[in-house]
Amino acid sequence: SPWKPVLLLLSPPAFSTTCARCAKDRRLRQKRAISERQLTRYFVDQRKVRVVGGQGGGGGHSFYSEPRKVFGGPDGGNGGDGGHVILKADQQMKSLSSVFPFYQGFHGERGGSKNCYGANGAHVYVKVPVGTLVKEDGKVVADLTQHGEEYIAAYGGAGGKGNRFFLSNENRAPKFFTPGEPGQERVLQLELKTAAHAGLVGFPNAGKSSLLRAISRAKPAVAAYPFTTLNPHVGIVHYQDYEQVAVADIPGLIRGAHQNRGLGMAFLKHIERCRFLLYVVDLSVPQPWIQLQDLKYELEAYEKGLSERPCVVIGNKVDLAQSKINLPLLREQVAERVIALSALTGDNLEELLLHLRELYDIYVKTEQSRGQSPVK
């Protein structure tokens, strides 16, 4: 039978890449809000790591063989060196949660014939956050405070020597060679200390997390009921001249924190790297200056001279009625400058931001006068 023409109706595509109305929505999804309890699973500030360097490759054992050349001599090459395990500070890393408990460098290859040397083992790089302290048997062996700074945690073993290495006039046909040396093995303790310019120090429920949310884009968990932050958060305060000041929300301290009550030691160690301190007190409680005295006592008991760093006192929750009564009493009791504000309503945040910039400029000038580069 003759062929009959068939009309094919092509269906339109599911979406169009040219029509704005029909284009597929490619907007980025917003980050899902993580609660404080879930966030603790991702934030780790201590880790015990066993590192082993790669083993060196053994030396080669062979003799040159070719037709009509019977006594070609030894031609076994040396083995390759084992790879190192290197800790590298990376500013993109915020926690030690991605660090595994064991690392080993790659082994070196064995030496081959025809004087071929074995390839060296590749190094293993372990990314750690900036501010990581490396300890061995309780002693500090490295302090990674700059982005890109490296520390060789375990050296790889040296490669073995092939029989060509032992050729001499006395021994024209050496048959012995050496194996590769094993890599260095160490057990290290990694400890993260939050690196920030300013540290918000205060008792639980003083409003530190709410204040950090108000002055930066950090999103620590806050709620209408009393609870304490379980890990430190770092927020960046941006200024019009493109300067950036890092502010850390140190988890709430309690009385006796220097004796490791609660999680005192885990909280206090994050204050050591702060250049200046922002004491946050709750103006709505009776005698708020007692909070300031207790905070300074805990800091001084943990490390001598820690409470003497440049600081400012922030009286939070000034929007409450009782706070307005306690504010003049607080200014009479303390010698430091008191900035009264409300993190909830945003009252008087400008004064805090201006004074925060003054503290930062003083820090920069002090470091430059000492011949050191300030941390940016």
Side-chain angles (χ1 to χ4, degrees):
S1 61
W3 292 94
K4 296 182 180 180
V6 179
L7 181 61
L8 297 178
L9 297 178
L10 299 177
S11 60
F15 62 90
S16 172
T17 58
T18 57
C19 179
R21 185 180 62 181
C22 303
K24 187 177 181 180
D25 190 6
R26 295 183 176 88
R27 290 179 299 176
L28 297 177
R29 296 181 180 180
Q30 295 182 354
K31 290 185 178 181
R32 181 172 55 89
I34 301 178
S35 65
E36 187 71 19
R37 183 180 297 274
Q38 291 174 326
L39 195 59
T40 56
R41 297 182 301 176
Y42 302 101
F43 183 84
V44 178
D45 56 0
Q46 287 186 352
R47 184 72 83 186
K48 185 177 181 180
V49 183
R50 177 170 167 259
V51 289
V52 181
Q55 184 173 0
H61 175 265
S62 65
F63 288 88
Y64 186 74
S65 178
E66 185 179 319
R68 296 180 301 275
K69 193 171 184 180
V70 182
F71 303 103
D75 64 348
N78 299 336
D81 298 333
H84 307 326
V85 179
I86 303 175
L87 303 179
K88 186 174 182 178
D90 190 351
Q91 61 184 4
Q92 299 296 331
M93 305 295 294
K94 305 301 180 183
S95 170
L96 295 174
S97 58
S98 60
V99 177
F100 295 106
F102 176 74
Y103 288 96
Q104 184 175 16
F106 291 92
H107 301 320
E109 294 185 4
R110 185 179 183 86
S113 58
K114 299 182 180 179
N115 297 323
C116 291
Y117 282 34
N120 295 332
H123 303 320
V124 174
Y125 288 88
V126 183
K127 292 184 179 181
V128 295
V130 176
T132 300
L133 207 63
V134 185
K135 294 183 179 180
E136 184 179 16
D137 298 331
K139 297 181 180 179
V140 178
V141 294
D143 190 1
L144 306 178
T145 58
Q146 300 292 335
H147 174 70
E149 190 174 359
E150 297 180 359
Y151 172 70
I152 301 179
Y155 286 91
K161 303 299 182 182
N163 61 341
R164 170 73 181 183
F165 178 81
F166 300 98
L167 177 64
S168 63
N169 292 330
E170 291 77 14
N171 188 2
R172 304 300 299 175
K175 296 183 179 180
F176 53 89
F177 57 94
T178 59
E181 297 182 359
Q184 185 183 15
E185 182 175 355
R186 302 171 70 184
V187 177
L188 303 175
Q189 294 82 30
L190 304 183
E191 182 176 324
L192 174 61
K193 295 183 179 179
T194 304
H197 298 111
L200 295 173
V201 185
F203 285 110
N205 305 310
K208 301 184 300 299
S209 299
S210 300
L211 181 59
L212 186 63
R213 292 172 68 101
I215 63 177
S216 69
R217 294 182 180 179
K219 300 298 181 184
V222 296
Y225 51 86
F227 75 100
T228 183
T229 305
L230 300 179
N231 53 68
H233 297 263
V234 178
I236 305 298
V237 180
H238 299 267
Y239 290 91
Q240 293 183 355
D241 57 350
Y242 302 103
E243 283 288 352
Q244 299 178 358
V245 180
V247 181
D249 174 20
I250 307 301
L253 304 177
I254 63 174
R255 292 178 177 86
H258 68 280
Q259 300 175 351
N260 207 21
R261 290 185 180 179
L263 295 176
M265 293 299 184
F267 292 167
L268 284 168
K269 68 182 180 182
H270 292 282
I271 309 178
E272 296 181 17
R273 297 195 184 275
C274 297
R275 274 66 182 181
F276 40 90
L277 304 178
L278 308 178
Y279 295 102
V280 182
V281 297
D282 187 358
L283 288 177
S284 62
V285 300
Q287 297 180 345
W289 53 88
I290 301 297
Q291 295 185 11
L292 181 62
Q293 297 175 2
D294 294 338
L295 289 173
K296 288 187 175 182
Y297 173 76
E298 294 297 333
L299 297 184
E300 194 66 23
Y302 174 73
E303 181 181 345
K304 188 175 181 181
L306 190 59
S307 63
E308 299 177 358
R309 295 186 181 182
C311 65
V312 64
V313 180
I314 300 175
N316 195 15
K317 305 180 183 180
V318 75
D319 52 311
L320 301 179
Q322 185 63 33
S323 302
K324 298 178 181 179
I325 302 176
N326 294 334
L327 178 58
L329 301 177
L330 175 64
R331 287 176 172 169
E332 293 178 0
Q333 295 290 333
V334 300
E336 294 83 0
R337 179 178 179 178
V338 178
I339 299 178
L341 53 83
S342 174
L344 180 62
T345 62
D347 294 341
N348 207 23
L349 287 179
E350 294 81 3
E351 183 180 357
L352 172 62
L353 295 177
L354 291 176
H355 188 67
L356 182 64
R357 180 58 188 271
E358 293 178 3
L359 293 175
Y360 174 76
D361 292 338
I362 294 175
Y363 157 71
V364 171
K365 293 180 181 179
T366 303
E367 292 295 319
Q368 291 177 352
S369 62
R370 296 176 180 175
Q372 301 178 357
S373 59
V375 178
K376 295 288 187 177

